[in-house]
Coordinates of all heavy atoms in Angstrom, one line a residue:
V25 N -20.1 -5.3 -19.5 CA -19.8 -6.7 -19.0 C -20.3 -7.7 -20.1 O -21.5 -7.7 -20.4 CB -20.4 -6.9 -17.7 CG1 -20.3 -8.4 -17.4 CG2 -19.7 -6.2 -16.6
L26 N -19.4 -8.5 -20.6 CA -19.7 -9.6 -21.4 C -19.7 -10.9 -20.6 O -18.6 -11.3 -20.2 CB -18.8 -9.6 -22.7 CG -19.2 -10.6 -23.8 CD1 -18.6 -10.1 -25.1 CD2 -18.7 -12.0 -23.6
M27 N -20.8 -11.5 -20.4 CA -20.9 -12.7 -19.6 C -20.3 -13.9 -20.4 O -20.4 -13.9 -21.6 CB -22.3 -13.0 -19.3 CG -23.1 -11.9 -18.7 SD -22.6 -11.6 -17.0 CE -23.4 -12.9 -16.2
P28 N -19.6 -14.8 -19.7 CA -19.1 -16.0 -20.4 C -20.2 -16.7 -21.1 O -21.3 -16.9 -20.6 CB -18.5 -16.8 -19.2 CG -18.1 -15.8 -18.2 CD -19.2 -14.8 -18.3
F29 N -20.0 -17.1 -22.3 CA -21.0 -17.7 -23.2 C -21.5 -19.0 -22.6 O -20.7 -19.8 -22.1 CB -20.5 -17.9 -24.6 CG -20.5 -16.7 -25.5 CD1 -20.8 -15.5 -24.9 CD2 -20.3 -16.8 -26.8 CE1 -20.9 -14.3 -25.7 CE2 -20.3 -15.7 -27.6 CZ -20.6 -14.5 -27.1
E30 N -22.8 -19.2 -22.7 CA -23.4 -20.5 -22.5 C -23.2 -21.3 -23.9 O -23.0 -20.7 -24.9 CB -24.9 -20.5 -22.2 CG -25.1 -19.7 -20.9 CD -26.6 -19.5 -20.6 OE1 -27.4 -20.4 -21.1 OE2 -27.0 -18.6 -19.9
R31 N -23.3 -22.6 -23.8 CA -23.1 -23.4 -25.1 C -24.1 -24.5 -25.2 O -24.6 -25.0 -24.2 CB -21.7 -23.9 -25.2 CG -21.3 -24.9 -24.1 CD -19.8 -25.2 -24.2 NE -19.3 -26.1 -23.1 CZ -19.3 -27.4 -23.2 NH1 -19.7 -28.0 -24.3 NH2 -18.9 -28.2 -22.2
L32 N -24.5 -24.8 -26.4 CA -25.5 -25.8 -26.7 C -25.0 -26.6 -27.9 O -24.9 -26.1 -29.0 CB -26.8 -25.2 -26.9 CG -28.0 -26.2 -27.3 CD1 -28.2 -27.1 -26.1 CD2 -29.2 -25.4 -27.6
A33 N -24.7 -27.9 -27.7 CA -24.3 -28.8 -28.7 C -23.1 -28.3 -29.4 O -22.9 -28.4 -30.7 CB -25.4 -29.0 -29.7
L34 N -22.1 -27.7 -28.7 CA -20.9 -27.2 -29.2 C -19.8 -27.4 -28.3 O -19.9 -27.2 -27.0 CB -21.1 -25.7 -29.5 CG -20.0 -25.0 -30.4 CD1 -20.1 -25.5 -31.8 CD2 -20.1 -23.5 -30.4
P35 N -18.6 -27.9 -28.7 CA -17.5 -28.1 -27.8 C -17.0 -26.8 -27.2 O -17.2 -25.7 -27.7 CB -16.3 -28.6 -28.8 CG -17.1 -29.1 -30.0 CD -18.3 -28.3 -30.1
S36 N -16.5 -26.9 -26.0 CA -16.1 -25.7 -25.2 C -15.1 -24.9 -25.9 O -15.1 -23.7 -25.8 CB -15.6 -26.2 -23.8 OG -14.5 -27.0 -24.0
T37 N -14.2 -25.5 -26.7 CA -13.1 -24.7 -27.4 C -13.8 -23.9 -28.4 O -13.4 -22.7 -28.6 CB -12.1 -25.7 -28.0 OG1 -12.8 -26.7 -28.8 CG2 -11.3 -26.4 -26.9
D38 N -14.8 -24.4 -29.1 CA -15.4 -23.6 -30.2 C -16.2 -22.4 -29.5 O -16.3 -21.3 -30.0 CB -16.4 -24.5 -31.0 CG -15.6 -25.3 -32.0 OD1 -14.4 -25.2 -32.0 OD2 -16.2 -26.0 -32.8
A39 N -16.9 -22.8 -28.4 CA -17.7 -21.7 -27.7 C -16.8 -20.6 -27.2 O -17.1 -19.4 -27.3 CB -18.4 -22.4 -26.5
R40 N -15.6 -21.0 -26.7 CA -14.7 -19.9 -26.2 C -14.1 -19.1 -27.4 O -13.9 -17.9 -27.3 CB -13.5 -20.6 -25.5 CG -12.5 -19.6 -24.9 CD -13.1 -18.6 -23.9 NE -12.1 -17.6 -23.5 CZ -11.3 -17.8 -22.5 NH1 -11.3 -19.0 -21.8 NH2 -10.5 -16.9 -22.1
E41 N -13.9 -19.7 -28.6 CA -13.4 -19.0 -29.7 C -14.5 -18.0 -30.1 O -14.1 -16.8 -30.5 CB -13.2 -20.0 -30.9 CG -12.7 -19.3 -32.2 CD -12.6 -20.3 -33.3 OE1 -12.5 -21.5 -33.1 OE2 -12.6 -19.8 -34.5
L42 N -15.7 -18.4 -30.2 CA -16.8 -17.4 -30.5 C -17.0 -16.3 -29.5 O -17.2 -15.2 -29.8 CB -18.1 -18.2 -30.7 CG -18.1 -19.2 -31.9 CD1 -19.5 -19.9 -31.9 CD2 -17.9 -18.5 -33.2
E43 N -16.8 -16.7 -28.2 CA -16.9 -15.6 -27.2 C -15.7 -14.6 -27.3 O -16.0 -13.4 -27.2 CB -16.8 -16.3 -25.8 CG -16.8 -15.3 -24.6 CD -16.5 -16.0 -23.3 OE1 -16.9 -17.2 -23.1 OE2 -16.0 -15.3 -22.4
D44 N -14.5 -15.1 -27.6 CA -13.4 -14.2 -27.7 C -13.6 -13.3 -28.9 O -13.2 -12.1 -28.9 CB -12.1 -15.0 -27.9 CG -11.7 -15.7 -26.6 OD1 -12.2 -15.3 -25.5 OD2 -10.8 -16.6 -26.6
A45 N -14.1 -13.8 -30.0 CA -14.4 -13.0 -31.2 C -15.4 -11.9 -30.9 O -15.3 -10.7 -31.3 CB -14.9 -13.9 -32.4
T46 N -16.4 -12.3 -30.1 CA -17.4 -11.3 -29.7 C -16.8 -10.2 -28.8 O -17.1 -9.1 -28.9 CB -18.6 -12.0 -29.0 OG1 -19.2 -13.0 -29.9 CG2 -19.7 -11.0 -28.7
R47 N -16.0 -10.7 -27.9 CA -15.3 -9.8 -26.9 C -14.5 -8.8 -27.7 O -14.5 -7.6 -27.3 CB -14.5 -10.6 -26.0 CG -13.7 -9.8 -24.9 CD -13.1 -10.6 -23.9 NE -14.2 -11.2 -23.0 CZ -14.7 -10.6 -22.0 NH1 -14.3 -9.4 -21.6 NH2 -15.6 -11.2 -21.3
R48 N -13.8 -9.2 -28.7 CA -13.0 -8.3 -29.5 C -13.8 -7.2 -30.2 O -13.5 -6.1 -30.4 CB -12.1 -9.0 -30.5 CG -10.9 -9.8 -29.9 CD -10.0 -10.3 -31.0 NE -10.6 -11.4 -31.7 CZ -10.5 -12.7 -31.4 NH1 -9.8 -13.1 -30.3 NH2 -11.0 -13.6 -32.1
A49 N -15.0 -7.7 -30.7 CA -15.9 -6.8 -31.4 C -16.5 -5.8 -30.4 O -16.6 -4.6 -30.8 CB -17.1 -7.6 -32.0
V50 N -16.8 -6.2 -29.2 CA -17.3 -5.2 -28.2 C -16.2 -4.2 -27.8 O -16.5 -3.0 -27.7 CB -17.8 -6.0 -27.0 CG1 -18.2 -5.0 -25.9 CG2 -19.0 -6.8 -27.3
A51 N -15.0 -4.7 -27.6 CA -13.9 -3.8 -27.2 C -13.6 -2.8 -28.2 O -13.1 -1.7 -27.9 CB -12.7 -4.7 -26.9
A52 N -13.9 -3.1 -29.5 CA -13.6 -2.1 -30.6 C -14.7 -1.0 -30.7 O -14.5 -0.1 -31.4 CB -13.5 -2.9 -31.9
L53 N -15.8 -1.2 -30.0 CA -16.8 -0.1 -30.1 C -16.3 1.2 -29.4 O -15.7 1.1 -28.4 CB -18.1 -0.6 -29.4 CG -18.8 -1.8 -30.1 CD1 -19.9 -2.3 -29.1 CD2 -19.4 -1.4 -31.4
P54 N -16.6 2.3 -30.0 CA -16.0 3.6 -29.5 C -16.6 4.0 -28.2 O -15.9 4.7 -27.4 CB -16.4 4.6 -30.6 CG -17.6 4.0 -31.3 CD -17.4 2.5 -31.2
D55 N -17.8 3.6 -27.8 CA -18.4 4.0 -26.6 C -18.6 2.9 -25.6 O -19.5 2.9 -24.7 CB -19.8 4.7 -26.9 CG -20.7 3.7 -27.6 OD1 -20.2 2.7 -28.1 OD2 -21.9 4.0 -27.7
A56 N -17.7 1.9 -25.6 CA -17.7 0.8 -24.7 C -16.4 0.6 -24.0 O -15.4 0.6 -24.6 CB -18.1 -0.5 -25.4
C57 N -16.4 0.5 -22.7 CA -15.2 0.1 -21.9 C -15.5 -1.3 -21.3 O -16.1 -1.4 -20.3 CB -15.0 1.2 -20.8 SG -13.5 0.9 -19.8
L58 N -14.9 -2.3 -22.0 CA -15.2 -3.7 -21.7 C -14.4 -4.1 -20.5 O -13.2 -4.0 -20.4 CB -14.9 -4.5 -22.9 CG -15.2 -6.0 -22.8 CD1 -16.7 -6.3 -22.5 CD2 -14.8 -6.8 -24.0
E59 N -15.2 -4.7 -19.5 CA -14.5 -5.3 -18.4 C -13.8 -6.6 -18.8 O -14.3 -7.4 -19.7 CB -15.6 -5.7 -17.3 CG -15.0 -6.3 -16.0 CD -16.1 -6.5 -15.0 OE1 -16.8 -7.6 -15.2 OE2 -16.4 -5.7 -14.1
S60 N -12.7 -6.9 -18.2 CA -11.9 -8.1 -18.6 C -12.6 -9.3 -18.2 O -13.5 -9.3 -17.3 CB -10.5 -8.1 -17.9 OG -10.7 -8.2 -16.5
R61 N -12.4 -10.4 -18.9 CA -13.0 -11.7 -18.6 C -12.7 -12.1 -17.2 O -13.5 -12.7 -16.5 CB -12.6 -12.7 -19.7 CG -13.5 -14.0 -19.6 CD -13.1 -15.0 -20.7 NE -14.1 -16.0 -20.9 CZ -14.3 -17.1 -20.2 NH1 -13.5 -17.3 -19.2 NH2 -15.3 -17.9 -20.5
E62 N -11.4 -11.9 -16.8 CA -11.0 -12.3 -15.5 C -11.8 -11.6 -14.4 O -12.3 -12.3 -13.4 CB -9.5 -12.1 -15.3 CG -8.6 -12.9 -16.1 CD -8.6 -12.5 -17.6 OE1 -9.0 -11.4 -17.9 OE2 -8.1 -13.3 -18.4
D63 N -12.0 -10.3 -14.6 CA -12.8 -9.6 -13.6 C -14.3 -10.0 -13.6 O -14.9 -10.1 -12.5 CB -12.8 -8.1 -13.9 CG -11.4 -7.5 -13.6 OD1 -10.6 -8.2 -12.9 OD2 -11.1 -6.4 -14.0
T64 N -14.8 -10.3 -14.8 CA -16.2 -10.8 -14.8 C -16.4 -12.2 -14.2 O -17.3 -12.4 -13.4 CB -16.7 -10.9 -16.3 OG1 -16.6 -9.6 -16.9 CG2 -18.1 -11.4 -16.4
V65 N -15.4 -13.1 -14.4 CA -15.5 -14.4 -13.8 C -15.4 -14.3 -12.3 O -16.1 -14.9 -11.5 CB -14.4 -15.3 -14.4 CG1 -14.3 -16.6 -13.6 CG2 -14.6 -15.6 -15.8
A66 N -14.5 -13.4 -11.8 CA -14.4 -13.2 -10.4 C -15.7 -12.6 -9.8 O -16.1 -13.0 -8.7 CB -13.2 -12.2 -10.1
R67 N -16.3 -11.7 -10.6 CA -17.6 -11.1 -10.1 C -18.7 -12.2 -10.0 O -19.4 -12.3 -9.1 CB -18.0 -10.1 -11.1 CG -19.3 -9.3 -10.6 CD -19.8 -8.6 -11.9 NE -19.0 -7.5 -12.4 CZ -19.0 -6.3 -12.0 NH1 -19.8 -5.9 -11.1 NH2 -18.2 -5.4 -12.6
L68 N -18.7 -13.1 -11.0 CA -19.7 -14.2 -11.0 C -19.4 -15.2 -9.8 O -20.4 -15.6 -9.2 CB -19.6 -15.0 -12.3 CG -20.1 -14.3 -13.5 CD1 -19.8 -15.1 -14.8 CD2 -21.6 -14.0 -13.4
R69 N -18.2 -15.5 -9.5 CA -17.9 -16.4 -8.4 C -18.3 -15.7 -7.1 O -18.7 -16.4 -6.2 CB -16.4 -16.7 -8.4 CG -16.0 -17.6 -9.5 CD -14.5 -17.8 -9.6 NE -14.0 -18.7 -10.6 CZ -12.8 -18.9 -11.0 NH1 -11.8 -18.2 -10.4 NH2 -12.5 -19.7 -12.0
G70 N -18.1 -14.4 -7.0 CA -18.5 -13.8 -5.8 C -20.0 -13.6 -5.5 O -20.5 -13.5 -4.4
S71 N -20.8 -13.6 -6.7 CA -22.2 -13.4 -6.5 C -23.0 -14.7 -6.7 O -24.2 -14.6 -6.6 CB -22.7 -12.4 -7.6 OG -22.4 -12.9 -8.9
G72 N -22.3 -15.8 -6.9 CA -23.0 -17.1 -7.0 C -23.9 -17.1 -8.3 O -23.4 -16.7 -9.4
A73 N -25.1 -17.5 -8.2 CA -26.0 -17.7 -9.4 C -26.8 -16.4 -9.6 O -27.7 -16.5 -10.5 CB -26.8 -18.9 -9.3
A74 N -26.6 -15.3 -8.9 CA -27.5 -14.2 -9.0 C -27.6 -13.5 -10.3 O -28.6 -13.0 -10.7 CB -27.0 -13.1 -8.0
L75 N -26.5 -13.6 -11.1 CA -26.4 -13.0 -12.4 C -27.0 -13.9 -13.5 O -27.1 -13.4 -14.7 CB -25.0 -12.6 -12.8 CG -24.4 -11.4 -11.9 CD1 -23.0 -11.1 -12.4 CD2 -25.3 -10.2 -12.0
T76 N -27.3 -15.1 -13.2 CA -27.7 -16.0 -14.3 C -29.2 -16.4 -14.1 O -29.8 -16.8 -15.1 CB -26.9 -17.3 -14.3 OG1 -26.9 -17.9 -13.0 CG2 -25.4 -17.0 -14.7
A77 N -29.7 -16.2 -12.9 CA -31.1 -16.6 -12.7 C -32.1 -15.5 -13.0 O -32.7 -14.8 -12.1 CB -31.3 -17.1 -11.2
C78 N -32.2 -15.1 -14.3 CA -33.0 -13.9 -14.7 C -33.7 -14.3 -16.0 O -33.0 -14.7 -17.0 CB -32.1 -12.7 -14.9 SG -32.8 -11.2 -14.3
G79 N -35.0 -14.1 -16.1 CA -35.7 -14.5 -17.2 C -36.4 -13.5 -18.1 O -37.1 -13.8 -19.0
D80 N -36.3 -12.2 -17.7 CA -36.9 -11.1 -18.5 C -36.0 -9.9 -18.6 O -35.0 -9.8 -17.8 CB -38.3 -10.8 -17.9 CG -38.2 -10.4 -16.5 OD1 -37.5 -9.3 -16.2 OD2 -38.8 -11.1 -15.6
A81 N -36.3 -9.0 -19.5 CA -35.5 -7.8 -19.8 C -35.5 -6.9 -18.6 O -34.4 -6.3 -18.3 CB -36.0 -7.1 -21.0
E82 N -36.6 -6.7 -17.9 CA -36.6 -5.9 -16.7 C -35.7 -6.3 -15.6 O -35.0 -5.5 -15.0 CB -38.1 -5.8 -16.1 CG -38.2 -4.8 -15.0 CD -39.6 -4.7 -14.5 OE1 -40.5 -5.4 -15.1 OE2 -39.9 -4.0 -13.5
C83 N -35.6 -7.6 -15.4 CA -34.7 -8.2 -14.4 C -33.3 -8.0 -14.8 O -32.4 -7.6 -14.0 CB -35.0 -9.7 -14.2 SG -33.9 -10.6 -13.1
R84 N -33.0 -8.2 -16.1 CA -31.6 -8.1 -16.6 C -31.2 -6.6 -16.5 O -30.0 -6.3 -16.2 CB -31.5 -8.7 -18.0 CG -31.6 -10.2 -18.0 CD -31.3 -10.7 -19.4 NE -32.4 -10.5 -20.3 CZ -33.4 -11.3 -20.5 NH1 -33.5 -12.4 -19.8 NH2 -34.4 -11.0 -21.4
S85 N -32.1 -5.7 -16.8 CA -31.8 -4.3 -16.7 C -31.4 -3.9 -15.2 O -30.5 -3.1 -15.0 CB -32.9 -3.4 -17.2 OG -32.7 -2.1 -17.1
A86 N -32.2 -4.5 -14.3 CA -31.9 -4.2 -12.9 C -30.6 -4.8 -12.5 O -29.8 -4.2 -11.7 CB -33.0 -4.8 -12.0
Q87 N -30.2 -5.9 -13.1 CA -28.9 -6.5 -12.8 C -27.8 -5.5 -13.3 O -26.8 -5.3 -12.6 CB -28.7 -7.8 -13.5 CG -29.5 -9.0 -12.9 CD -29.2 -10.3 -13.7 OE1 -28.7 -10.2 -14.8 NE2 -29.6 -11.4 -13.1
A88 N -27.9 -5.0 -14.5 CA -26.9 -4.0 -15.0 C -26.8 -2.8 -14.1 O -25.7 -2.4 -13.8 CB -27.3 -3.6 -16.4
T89 N -27.9 -2.3 -13.6 CA -27.9 -1.2 -12.7 C -27.2 -1.5 -11.4 O -26.3 -0.8 -10.9 CB -29.3 -0.7 -12.4 OG1 -29.9 -0.3 -13.7 CG2 -29.3 0.5 -11.5
A90 N -27.5 -2.7 -10.9 CA -26.9 -3.1 -9.6 C -25.4 -3.3 -9.7 O -24.6 -3.1 -8.8 CB -27.5 -4.4 -9.1
L91 N -25.0 -3.8 -10.9 CA -23.5 -4.0 -11.2 C -22.8 -2.7 -11.5 O -21.5 -2.7 -11.5 CB -23.4 -5.0 -12.3 CG -23.8 -6.4 -12.1 CD1 -23.7 -7.2 -13.4 CD2 -22.8 -7.1 -11.1
G92 N -23.5 -1.6 -11.7 CA -22.8 -0.4 -12.0 C -22.3 -0.4 -13.4 O -21.2 0.2 -13.7
V93 N -23.0 -1.1 -14.4 CA -22.5 -1.1 -15.7 C -23.5 -0.5 -16.6 O -24.7 -0.4 -16.3 CB -22.2 -2.6 -16.2 CG1 -21.2 -3.3 -15.3 CG2 -23.5 -3.4 -16.2
R94 N -23.1 -0.1 -17.8 CA -24.0 0.5 -18.8 C -24.8 -0.5 -19.5 O -26.0 -0.4 -19.7 CB -23.2 1.4 -19.8 CG -24.1 2.0 -20.8 CD -23.2 2.7 -21.9 NE -24.0 3.3 -22.9 CZ -23.6 3.7 -24.1 NH1 -22.3 3.7 -24.4 NH2 -24.4 4.3 -25.0
R95 N -24.1 -1.6 -19.9 CA -24.7 -2.7 -20.7 C -24.2 -4.0 -20.3 O -23.0 -4.2 -20.0 CB -24.6 -2.4 -22.2 CG -25.4 -1.3 -22.7 CD -25.2 -1.0 -24.1 NE -26.0 0.2 -24.4 CZ -25.8 0.9 -25.6 NH1 -24.9 0.5 -26.5 NH2 -26.5 2.0 -25.8
L96 N -25.1 -5.0 -20.4 CA -24.7 -6.4 -20.2 C -24.8 -7.1 -21.5 O -25.9 -7.0 -22.2 CB -25.6 -7.1 -19.2 CG -25.3 -6.9 -17.7 CD1 -26.4 -7.6 -16.9 CD2 -24.0 -7.5 -17.3
V97 N -23.8 -7.9 -21.9 CA -23.9 -8.7 -23.2 C -23.9 -10.1 -22.8 O -23.0 -10.6 -22.1 CB -22.7 -8.3 -24.1 CG1 -22.8 -9.1 -25.4 CG2 -22.6 -6.8 -24.3
R98 N -24.9 -10.8 -23.3 CA -25.0 -12.3 -23.1 C -25.0 -13.0 -24.4 O -25.4 -12.4 -25.4 CB -26.3 -12.6 -22.3 CG -26.2 -12.3 -20.8 CD -27.6 -12.7 -20.2 NE -27.5 -12.7 -18.7 CZ -27.7 -11.6 -18.0 NH1 -27.9 -10.4 -18.6 NH2 -27.6 -11.6 -16.7
G99 N -24.4 -14.2 -24.4 CA -24.4 -15.0 -25.6 C -24.6 -16.5 -25.4 O -24.1 -17.0 -24.4
V100 N -25.2 -17.1 -26.4 CA -25.3 -18.6 -26.3 C -24.6 -19.1 -27.6 O -25.0 -18.7 -28.7 CB -26.7 -19.0 -26.3 CG1 -26.8 -20.6 -26.3 CG2 -27.4 -18.5 -25.0
A101 N -23.6 -19.9 -27.5 CA -22.9 -20.5 -28.6 C -23.6 -21.8 -29.0 O -23.7 -22.7 -28.1 CB -21.4 -20.7 -28.3
L102 N -24.0 -21.9 -30.2 CA -24.8 -23.0 -30.7 C -24.1 -23.8 -31.7 O -23.4 -23.3 -32.6 CB -26.2 -22.5 -31.3 CG -27.0 -21.6 -30.4 CD1 -28.1 -21.0 -31.2 CD2 -27.6 -22.4 -29.2
G103 N -24.3 -25.2 -31.7 CA -23.8 -26.0 -32.7 C -24.8 -26.9 -33.3 O -24.6 -28.1 -33.6
V104 N -26.0 -26.3 -33.5 CA -27.2 -27.0 -34.0 C -27.1 -27.1 -35.5 O -26.8 -26.1 -36.2 CB -28.5 -26.3 -33.6 CG1 -29.7 -27.1 -34.1 CG2 -28.5 -26.3 -32.0
G105 N -27.5 -28.3 -36.1 CA -27.5 -28.4 -37.6 C -26.2 -28.4 -38.2 O -26.1 -28.1 -39.4
G106 N -25.1 -28.7 -37.5 CA -23.8 -28.8 -38.0 C -23.2 -27.4 -38.3 O -22.2 -27.3 -39.0

Side-chain angles (χ1 to χ4, degrees):
V25 165
L26 191 152
M27 308 288 283
F29 278 9
E30 301 177 23
R31 60 188 179 92
L32 179 63
L34 194 68
S36 59
T37 53
D38 285 3
R40 181 61 184 272
E41 179 186 340
L42 296 176
E43 178 188 328
D44 289 343
T46 305
R47 181 170 291 275
R48 287 189 291 270
V50 175
L53 294 169
D55 55 346
C57 184
L58 182 62
E59 182 180 81
S60 69
R61 193 178 197 276
E62 291 74 16
D63 289 344
T64 299
V65 170
R67 187 198 294 270
L68 289 172
R69 288 173 179 169
S71 60
L75 291 180
T76 56
C78 221
D80 56 64
E82 183 178 356
C83 174
R84 289 186 288 269
S85 177
Q87 285 181 350
T89 301
L91 290 171
V93 303
R94 180 188 178 191
R95 288 173 185 168
L96 279 176
V97 181
R98 284 179 168 85
V100 180
L102 305 167
V104 181

